[in-house]
Amino acid sequence: MIVRVATGGLPQAALVAEGLNLPLAYVRTEKKSHGKTNQVEGRIEKNQKVVVIEDLISTGGSSIKAVDALKAMDIDVLGVVAVFTYNLAQAKEAFKDVALSTLSDYETLIKVANQEHYIEKEDQDILLQWHRDPFILMEK
């Protein structure tokens, strides 16, 4: 089964589920406060194997909350697939016990932007400095 994190990854998850002819469900980072108060929507069963699809990984917090919610339901989470990751230290720590695969990442984005002359060398230095410490520019 393909599971998407609400609301990220909806188009990607729908395309993957359709292309693989697999059912699609979604998981919220928290239970709803109204209605059926579900955290997971869709027909999902104990011990079912799932791949979680996300659009963007920054710190990994919402993805890991989703994975934890699924595991608490005895769902076999094979891993998380995302379109892009910043590869921040927080995310690397968050995914230490969960397989993560992405289509692209921050370092590749900066490298290609530099090669294609979308950014200048000084821009690259600032962007890489931000990557080492995302909060540094907020402190200035």
Side-chain angles (χ1 to χ4, degrees):
M1 172 176 266
I2 302 299
V3 176
R4 72 173 174 95
V5 177
T7 60
L10 172 59
Q12 298 86 355
L15 288 170
V16 170
E18 168 100 7
L20 295 175
N21 197 30
L22 291 173
L24 176 64
Y26 76 92
V27 60
R28 298 177 184 87
T29 53
E30 297 177 4
K31 289 183 177 185
K32 283 178 65 173
S33 61
H34 60 283
K36 294 181 180 180
T37 67
N38 292 343
Q39 187 169 6
V40 177
E41 299 288 351
R43 287 191 161 167
I44 194 163
E45 298 174 12
K46 196 177 204 178
N47 299 318
Q48 190 161 11
K49 294 182 185 312
V50 304
V51 171
V52 176
I53 296 188
E54 180 71 278
D55 56 353
L56 171 71
I57 304 292
S58 52
T59 64
S62 62
S63 300
I64 295 301
K65 282 183 182 179
V67 167
D68 289 345
L70 292 164
K71 287 182 175 181
M73 296 173 59
D74 293 323
I75 304 300
D76 186 6
V77 179
L78 301 175
V80 176
V81 176
V83 175
F84 185 86
T85 180
Y86 286 105
N87 276 336
L88 297 177
Q90 298 97 317
K92 289 178 182 179
E93 177 64 23
F95 281 96
K96 69 180 182 227
D97 297 324
V98 177
L100 172 64
S101 297
T102 62
L103 297 177
S104 191
D105 58 41
Y106 189 79
E107 294 90 340
T108 303
L109 174 69
I110 301 307
K111 180 180 175 184
V112 172
N114 187 35
Q115 289 172 345
E116 298 295 322
H117 305 290
Y118 290 119
I119 60 174
E120 302 293 328
K121 174 74 170 114
E122 79 177 35
D123 297 327
Q124 177 181 339
D125 293 343
I126 291 169
L127 292 166
L128 292 174
Q129 179 184 12
W130 173 86
H131 187 253
R132 285 188 296 276
D133 185 358
F135 302 101
I136 195 165
L137 296 177
M138 293 172 51
E139 295 169 359
K140 291 183 179 183

